[in-house]
Amino acid sequence: MPVRSAIIGYGRNGSTMHAGPIEKNPDFELCAVCDIDPRALEKAKARFGCAVYTDYHEMLKREQLDFVVVVTRSSQHAEMAADCLLAGVNTMVTKPWATTVDEARLMISAQKVSGKLLLPWLPARWGSDLAALREIVARGDIGKIWRIHRAVYSPGKRCDWQTQREFGGGYLLNWGPHLVDQPLRLAGSPVVSVYGELRQIVNPGDAEDNVFVMCKTEAGITTISEYSTAVDKLPNWVIQGDGGTIFVRGNKIEINRVVYSDAVDGGEYRSGFKTEVEEMTVGGNIYGDEYEIYRHIARVIHGEEQYFASPDDALELSRVLDAARMSSRLGQAVYLR
């Protein structure tokens, strides 16, 4: 039987990133769409021939659903997801799944009461660049990793609700699930402390549009994550090990292995070395293939697999993002352990 599904929030992401994979996957049937915009509902009804609602509570009462996707403004995610879970429906929450740790815990409590699946949407964990980097690091190509820098640069301005704090806007929550989470996955070690700097540079509204987050882990690895107002000419990843450096620009990976001289001349101030360079190109989506992820979600709902991002994982990320905001406000590092 197809998974009877609904989408709450049929905007830019709801109608593309989520509706598309549901539409193309025979394991799903889109039965209902809820949105407050009548034009969005007209488009959904014309596309799917499904029931449409302006009130998600009414939708939950009337429809027999197996799965709901919450793709609304960030400030609405936690309450809506908790309501869906308590109505007995497996629920996926787009990023950021919560604006605070307290909201994350609200959803987790609802999940435990309902016994249904709570699925945080963290698609960048499926990123093709992250997958390739994991293999390179695991091979030991650049030795022991000690620093990971992940960044996106753009001078572009944003003009939608993401510029408003009241709606849960701001780039910490919008980009953090990509840029903070990815290097922490690569580091593979719990975060000990967080330092954050949040600034508003070019966007309208009152939410930050520049984000700098530095985490120190139990394994001694430092991760640096930033979204910065700048022309996009700098690397998106810089990974430093005691045996070399990796640079990533888009889907282009450059591995620089350092080979040191066997002997050090007593008259030299440092050892000699040479650099071996390997270049490679990765295919796929560096932020994750939503069609592949939805195939995985279908298997999860059918009990065939475990979901790739647990609520506890997402809660830990929420703790890091909360700490980054607090650090920016205090002007000092915040310790988690």
Side-chain angles (χ1 to χ4, degrees):
M1 291 288 292
V3 177
R4 293 180 55 83
S5 307
I7 296 174
I8 304 176
Y10 196 73
R12 182 170 61 88
N13 283 338
S15 64
T16 56
M17 184 179 295
H18 299 283
I22 290 174
E23 181 180 34
K24 300 296 184 182
N25 191 326
D27 286 327
F28 293 93
E29 177 187 358
L30 190 63
C31 300
V33 167
C34 180
D35 200 288
I36 59 173
D37 184 351
R39 294 169 298 179
L41 296 181
E42 288 176 9
K43 292 177 182 178
K45 190 169 185 178
R47 180 179 178 182
F48 296 104
C50 63
V52 294
Y53 296 88
T54 56
D55 183 341
Y56 75 95
H57 295 287
E58 181 183 359
M59 181 187 75
L60 292 171
K61 289 178 182 178
R62 289 177 175 268
E63 302 292 330
Q64 297 296 315
L65 299 170
D66 305 308
F67 177 59
V68 171
V69 185
V70 177
V71 204
T72 54
R73 290 175 176 175
S74 302
S75 58
Q76 299 172 303
H77 291 174
E79 182 179 355
M80 288 182 169
D83 288 341
C84 292
L85 289 164
L86 294 175
V89 185
N90 300 307
T91 304
M92 200 280 291
V93 192
T94 194
K95 60 94 182 168
W97 80 321
T99 63
T100 65
V101 167
D102 287 344
E103 287 187 356
R105 288 178 173 148
L106 172 70
M107 290 185 287
I108 290 173
S109 295
Q111 184 272 325
K112 290 178 178 178
V113 170
S114 69
K116 293 299 180 178
L117 295 169
L118 172 58
L119 310 177
W121 180 252
L122 290 170
R125 292 192 179 189
W126 289 66
S128 55
D129 55 353
L130 178 60
L133 291 170
R134 277 176 160 160
E135 292 183 7
I136 295 167
V137 168
R139 289 200 306 261
D141 283 17
I142 61 167
K144 184 178 179 181
I145 303 301
W146 63 277
R147 180 180 289 168
I148 304 169
H149 186 183
R150 176 74 171 98
V152 167
Y153 304 96
S154 173
K157 296 181 181 181
R158 189 155 183 167
C159 303
D160 61 359
W161 65 265
Q162 284 283 1
T163 66
Q164 303 289 334
R165 290 182 187 176
E166 67 175 303
F167 302 128
Y171 284 14
L172 178 67
L173 293 175
N174 189 37
W175 281 95
H178 296 324
L179 304 183
V180 176
D181 189 62
Q182 277 191 326
L184 290 177
R185 295 307 99 203
L186 190 59
S189 177
V191 175
V192 174
S193 66
V194 180
Y195 175 78
E197 292 181 359
L198 310 181
R199 300 184 66 184
Q200 183 184 11
I201 303 296
V202 297
N203 279 357
D206 61 356
E208 77 283 345
D209 56 15
N210 275 246
V211 175
F212 178 94
V213 178
M214 182 171 67
C215 301
K216 294 187 177 180
T217 72
E218 287 184 357
I221 300 172
T222 299
T223 69
I224 299 170
S225 307
E226 64 175 323
Y227 186 102
S228 187
T229 299
V231 174
D232 185 15
K233 294 186 177 181
L234 296 169
N236 302 118
W237 292 83
V238 179
I239 303 170
Q240 296 168 255
D242 59 11
T245 310
I246 301 170
F247 298 95
V248 182
R249 292 175 175 85
N251 66 343
K252 307 290 185 182
I253 298 178
E254 180 184 289
I255 307 167
N256 295 266
R257 301 180 184 89
V258 175
V259 180
Y260 293 101
S261 303
D262 291 335
V264 180
D265 190 316
E268 298 293 331
Y269 76 97
R270 67 178 182 182
S271 64
F273 67 90
K274 64 178 182 179
T275 304
E276 298 175 347
V277 180
E278 177 186 349
E279 296 180 347
M280 59 184 291
T281 301
V282 297
N285 190 330
I286 63 173
Y287 294 110
D289 181 338
E290 60 267 32
Y291 290 87
E292 183 180 3
I293 297 172
Y294 265 89
R295 287 191 288 271
H296 165 65
I297 290 173
R299 295 191 294 269
V300 170
I301 292 174
H302 289 307
E304 299 168 3
E305 293 180 5
Q306 292 291 317
Y307 190 57
F308 75 100
S310 73
D312 286 341
D313 280 350
L315 174 62
E316 189 63 19
L317 177 59
S318 292
R319 291 184 68 220
V320 171
L321 298 182
D322 269 14
R325 191 175 297 283
M326 180 181 294
S327 170
S328 181
R329 187 167 59 249
L330 298 176
Q332 62 187 39
V334 172
Y335 289 83
L336 300 183
R337 288 173 173 80

